[in-house]
Amino acid sequence: MQMSAIPFDTTDWSQVAPTRHAGEAGEALWRTRHVGPEGNQIRVRMVEYSAGYVSDHWCQKGHVLLVLEGELETTLADGRVFTLKPGMSYQVADGAEPHRSRTPKGAKLFIVD
């Protein structure tokens, strides 16, 4: 990710319309913005997982993720499991380590990818 040609801007996330994404169980609500020039856009999201959410795929995309509320359990393809609580984050590169998330109680996340 190269952050270039992005003018200063603010986001009122309550004004960004959510899109629904079904998981294997539960759902995710994404409030998404794309910033930067065509061909090098960065996706910035506020994501809310419902209680009982389980991702429906192994993700290979790189992210910087911060847990704002709730608790997120992320499993890597090699079997390692990480539990993130509010104020905790992770970062992973594109194609580095397939990961999959779930949350028994729900979670609110801020994600940049």
Side-chain angles (χ1 to χ4, degrees), residues 6-59:
I6 302 170
F8 182 86
D9 193 16
T10 63
T11 303
D12 178 350
W13 290 102
S14 69
Q15 299 301 307
V16 177
T19 57
R20 295 184 184 279
H21 302 265
E24 186 176 288
E27 70 176 5
L29 291 179
W30 295 9
R31 296 176 191 273
T32 306
R33 295 212 41 217
H34 292 89
V35 299
E38 194 67 37
N40 188 37
Q41 286 195 322
I42 297 169
R43 182 172 63 173
V44 182
R45 296 179 286 160
M46 188 72 67
V47 175
E48 295 178 58
Y49 289 147
S50 66
Y53 175 82
V54 177
S55 175
D56 65 349
H57 67 283
W58 286 95
C59 184

Side-chain angles (χ1 to χ4, degrees), residues 67-81:
V67 177
L68 300 172
E69 298 174 7
E71 188 172 287
L72 181 70
E73 183 180 289
T74 298
T75 302
L76 302 185
D78 67 9
R80 288 180 290 160
V81 178

Side-chain angles (χ1 to χ4, degrees), residues 78-98:
D78 67 9
R80 288 180 290 160
V81 178
F82 299 88
T83 301
L84 288 86
K85 297 180 181 193
M88 295 178 71
S89 65
Y90 75 68
Q91 49 284 325
V92 63
D94 289 336
E97 297 183 86

